[in-house]
Amino acid sequence: SLLQEIHCLLKVKKTPKMMMLKMMNPMGSMPSVPKVGGGDDENKMSKEEQQEQEKLRQDAMKKAEKERRMKYQKQKEEREGESSKIRGKYGIQKKPDPEDEEEESEGEDDGFGPKKKEEEKDAITAAKEAAEAKLKDAQSMMSNLFKF
């Protein structure tokens, strides 16, 4: 747009001072500036129309995300096919996927996160074990007190 203005000014043969003023004025070539009150187009649409537009936009985003996932899944399958051909050709065994390892390691206690509950015992067995533990504690405490 600046080049177009310079070209127009050269055709009209304005003075160099006018050309400089035109180039230095930042508001000289700006299009119309919107008013302070905001866009009137948004106010013209009813709330239902705005909700419908938002729903359509969300649907389009979901569709695009689904297509993107399908594209990358297809690429992953193609790479896996090529890799399996190479592994078969050279007799290389496939390494386990990190995702599979995570599923297998769920049973293991890695020290992070909440502890998994042990299998619940029936009330009689639990009470018996608690009583035996208290009896052992009491016996060990008394034996420690009366050591000679």
Side-chain angles (χ1 to χ4, degrees):
S1 71
L2 185 59
L3 292 174
Q4 290 173 347
E5 286 182 20
I6 293 172
H7 185 68
C8 287
L9 291 174
L10 290 175
K11 282 185 178 180
V12 178
K13 296 193 181 203
K14 300 237 177 178
T15 62
K17 285 185 180 179
M18 286 295 284
M19 286 176 35
M20 287 300 288
L21 285 173
K22 188 76 170 173
M23 288 190 321
M24 294 298 185
N25 185 1
M27 300 299 280
S29 62
M30 276 188 65
S32 64
V33 179
K35 296 182 180 175
V36 177
D40 292 333
D41 296 337
E42 294 178 14
N43 295 336
K44 290 180 182 177
M45 289 196 324
S46 68
K47 204 170 217 181
E48 293 83 23
E49 290 174 342
Q50 288 177 352
Q51 289 175 346
E52 182 66 27
Q53 290 293 327
E54 180 64 21
K55 183 180 177 186
L56 291 173
R57 189 179 68 80
Q58 291 290 334
D59 289 343
M61 287 175 58
K62 287 178 183 178
K63 183 179 177 183
E65 178 67 18
K66 185 177 179 181
E67 289 174 357
R68 185 189 69 82
R69 287 181 190 225
M70 288 173 49
K71 173 187 169 187
Y72 286 114
Q73 182 66 30
K74 183 179 176 183
Q75 288 178 354
K76 183 178 179 182
E77 290 170 359
E78 290 173 358
R79 285 193 307 269
E80 184 59 37
E82 292 294 320
S83 298
S84 65
K85 286 179 187 176
I86 294 171
R87 281 194 301 271
K89 182 178 178 181
Y90 294 105
I92 301 171
Q93 291 196 0
K94 182 179 178 182
K95 294 181 181 177
D97 290 335
E99 297 160 357
D100 295 338
E101 290 176 7
E102 288 176 8
E103 292 172 4
E104 293 171 2
S105 67
E106 285 179 8
E108 302 171 6
D109 183 22
D110 57 357
F112 296 104
K115 302 272 184 194
K116 294 185 180 182
K117 294 183 180 179
E118 295 179 13
E119 295 177 16
E120 293 193 23
K121 301 172 186 169
D122 59 334
I124 297 171
T125 309
K128 181 180 176 184
E129 288 178 357
E132 288 175 353
K134 286 183 181 180
L135 180 62
K136 279 186 177 181
D137 288 341
Q139 286 175 345
S140 65
M141 186 172 63
M142 293 304 286
S143 67
N144 286 339
L145 284 176
F146 296 111
K147 280 191 178 177
F148 293 106

